[in-house]
Amino acid sequence: MIRILFLAMVFAFAIKSYGQGGFSVAEDEAHKKIKILFNGKLVTAYSWTDSTEKPVLFPVKTLSGTTVTRGFPIAPRVGERTDHPHHVGIWLNYESVNGLDFWNNSEAIPKEKLSKYGSIRHQKIVTFKSKKDKVMLVANSHWVDQQSTVLLDEITEFVFSSKNSDLIIDRTSTLEAKVPEVLFKDVKDGMLAIRVARQLEMPSKEKGSFVDAHGQVTQVEALDNAGVTGMYLDKEGIKGDSVWGKRSEWCELNGMLEGKQVSIVIIDNPKNPGYPTYWHARGYGLFAANPLGQKIFSKGKEELNLKLKKGEKVSFKYRIIIHEGSYMSAGEIEALKKF
């Protein structure tokens, strides 16, 4: 009995909770995460484990507890795709920063190729404030090469709030150059992204690899699209795969998940570079906003190649809405686009 009480005390010390009812926060230092709760239930966690090569929000749930993100590779679920192990939860990074690939880095990269990749290393939680109606979390990270040279210092502020049945995540990331020059070359893979659950993908006839109940990967020639209902829609009314490479102030992904209508919306901010952003949204479940890949998406008609001199800063601000119970209308999105 004494041992049980001791273990309970240790567990309580390792996970510190703040706030009751509405939004609250639980620190879990042992697992390198800060949990965001709503009415006592997990909606997401800011996580900085080394295996992801960048801090992520994982998992991401609706306010009622329905998980909208893919579990693989951290917590695989039956029937999921096993492609792109660097697609984890919600994250922000980029494919070409001074020639280093931050986007595609993961534990799957062979050691002999790591010199081509960069990582984003969490440094500290600057502050967090928990109120019933919102949680504000500020974190500091470094964008580094394989020699731990800091290219960029990142300060990211998350604000988690709700409106009706919506979980609203506002993310503002400010990047400061720490070397003489930082070049974000125009490329395809970036920048703010979420990888969604299988049911929110668009139906596809392409072959793929999937995980079974034992964690084993199986190659499947013809995909089973049962229950796969995802559909993209941007502000201009463009749908499906056609939103890829188009500019728009916002884009939403609608689909049925566990018998419920779910919408995920990403809203660009007018102060961001490259506004309105191009959308790097794929039918297999990658939903990303990339304002910096202009040469690729415009087929050479535009070019940005964003540069920062040492000490210069650039900020990227996005709103992500996780909506459940219906599909969000354009009017509902427009009412929430100012942030």
Side-chain angles (χ1 to χ4, degrees), residues 202 230-234 237-246 251-253 279 281-283:
M202 290 177 57
M231 178 58 64
Y232 291 108
L233 176 69
D234 69 13
I238 298 172
K239 294 183 177 181
D241 289 324
S242 296
V243 305
W244 188 90
K246 302 294 193 307
C251 187
E252 69 176 313
L253 174 61
W279 294 97
R282 296 298 200 186

Side-chain angles (χ1 to χ4, degrees), residues 84-313:
H84 301 81
H86 49 280
H87 291 175
V88 181
I90 294 176
W91 72 97
L92 185 149
N93 61 6
Y94 197 64
E95 182 188 355
S96 183
V97 181
N98 282 8
L100 293 175
D101 186 347
F102 285 80
W103 176 273
N104 290 289
N105 197 3
S106 75
E107 286 191 320
I109 303 299
K111 289 185 178 180
E112 63 271 18
K113 295 184 178 181
L114 280 175
S115 61
K116 300 178 181 178
Y117 295 84
S119 301
I120 303 177
R121 297 301 181 199
H122 169 84
Q123 299 301 302
K124 62 182 178 180
I125 299 297
V126 177
T127 186
F128 64 82
K129 297 178 182 179
S130 177
K131 299 180 179 180
K132 287 189 175 182
D133 62 339
K134 68 176 64 175
V135 166
M136 187 268 284
L137 171 71
V138 180
N140 175 225
S141 298
H142 288 164
W143 296 47
V144 301
D145 61 16
Q146 294 300 315
Q147 291 72 46
S148 297
T149 303
V150 180
L151 278 66
L152 293 161
D153 181 80
E154 175 184 334
I155 297 292
T156 290
E157 178 186 274
F158 295 97
V159 178
F160 304 92
S161 61
S162 66
K163 185 172 183 179
N164 300 323
S165 62
D166 301 335
L167 169 64
I168 300 174
I169 304 171
D170 293 330
R171 173 176 183 149
T172 303
S173 293
T174 299
L175 309 178
E176 178 184 352
K178 306 301 286 186
V179 292
E181 182 176 271
V182 175
L183 169 64
F184 296 84
K185 183 181 178 181
D186 286 31
V187 289
K188 171 176 63 67
D189 287 336
M191 182 170 197
L192 176 84
I194 179 171
R195 182 62 191 263
V196 300
R198 170 71 176 144
Q199 295 92 330
L200 296 178
E201 296 175 14
M202 290 177 57
S204 171
K205 296 181 180 180
E206 298 175 356
K207 64 180 181 180
S209 58
F210 295 82
V211 66
D212 64 18
H214 304 288
Q216 301 299 313
V217 176
T218 301
Q219 299 296 325
V220 179
E221 292 300 320
L223 299 191
D224 179 5
N225 289 314
V228 179
T229 60
M231 178 58 64
Y232 291 108
L233 176 69
D234 69 13
K235 180 179 178 179
E236 287 67 36
I238 298 172
K239 294 183 177 181
D241 289 324
S242 296
V243 305
W244 188 90
K246 302 294 193 307
R247 285 187 183 273
S248 189
E249 294 179 16
W250 54 260
C251 187
E252 69 176 313
L253 174 61
N254 297 318
M256 295 293 296
L257 187 57
E258 298 181 9
K260 302 173 184 177
Q261 289 184 327
V262 170
S263 294
I264 301 173
V265 182
I266 301 176
I267 303 175
D268 196 12
N269 188 280
K271 295 183 180 179
N272 287 342
Y275 177 87
T277 186
Y278 279 100
W279 294 97
H280 181 26
R282 296 298 200 186
Y284 63 78
L286 171 66
F287 184 11
N290 181 1
L292 304 184
Q294 297 186 18
K295 185 175 181 179
I296 303 302
F297 297 121
S298 70
K299 298 181 179 179
K301 296 177 182 179
E302 302 170 357
E303 191 167 357
L304 179 59
N305 289 324
L306 179 67
K307 294 180 182 179
L308 298 177
K309 298 295 183 182
K310 187 174 182 179
E312 290 183 339
K313 300 179 181 180

